[in-house]
Amino acid sequence: MKLIGNYTSPYVRKISVILLEKGLSFEFINVNPWVGGSPAPQYNPLGKVPTLITDEGERWFDSPIIAQYLELLNIAPELIPLDPKAALKVRQLEALADGILDAALTSVREKLRPSEQQSEEVLLRQREKIARALDMLEQYAADGTLTAEPLNLANISAACAVGYLNFRRVAPGWCVNRPHLVKLVEQLFQRESFARTEPPAA
């Protein structure tokens, strides 16, 4: 099994954590989808990471799809509940966390533009999205909907989202007034799978 990705991508980190937690061996192929001539489109026509290539040569891309495929292998731990309604809730929390990542990545790309070309409106919109989504994660962590145990796709995704905010220094001070979310991600960051997938220092 091969995972095509980038060491700094939080979407790739999500899949790497799942693979490690399930004890699946894989070869990591590091590519940068943002540079000219990137090999990423050879694996995924959208030129994005991650892409998973199975031993049979199947290609799966987009992290929610890859996560679903890995769950279909029926290898413990179970990260998506069998009950359809419970599974849908986990997937919605995954989508919420991925939405934070989408907004954070847009902010990072916008700030890479020359300062005179940056749009404060775009940056403000992304900050507002991130703040609202973090508030919802805090609410779910407070009421017990989102917990650190048992491990599942929802809490993995939430921790990867927060990890990326920390790594790229997006939304500094996000932890203020969100104690339940802070406690949740701190517990998850202690797991070996998260320690092994921490992005390299920028």
Side-chain angles (χ1 to χ4, degrees), residues 30-105:
N30 187 40
V31 303
N32 185 347
W34 295 103
V35 299
S38 170
Q42 298 175 21
Y43 305 104
N44 174 355
L46 300 176
K48 299 166 64 177
V49 293
T51 296
L52 184 76
I53 303 178
T54 70
D55 293 338
E56 294 74 32
E58 290 181 304
R59 297 188 182 197
W60 300 98
F61 49 84
D62 204 42
S63 65
I65 299 296
I66 297 173
Q68 182 69 57
Y69 167 77
L70 293 174
E71 203 62 16
L72 292 176
L73 299 179
N74 293 318
I75 297 173
E78 178 185 279
L79 300 178
I80 303 174
L82 293 177
D83 176 73
K85 185 74 175 289
L88 192 61
K89 189 64 178 180
V90 165
R91 300 314 295 261
Q92 179 168 271
L93 289 170
E94 177 196 21
L96 183 63
D98 282 359
I100 292 174
L101 293 179
D102 293 343
L105 187 58

Side-chain angles (χ1 to χ4, degrees), residues 138 141 148 174 178-190:
E138 169 66 17
W174 69 265
R178 298 189 181 103
H180 298 91
L181 183 58
V182 170
K183 182 178 179 180
L184 182 144
V185 297
E186 284 180 345
Q187 288 179 262
L188 290 165
F189 288 159
Q190 292 174 12

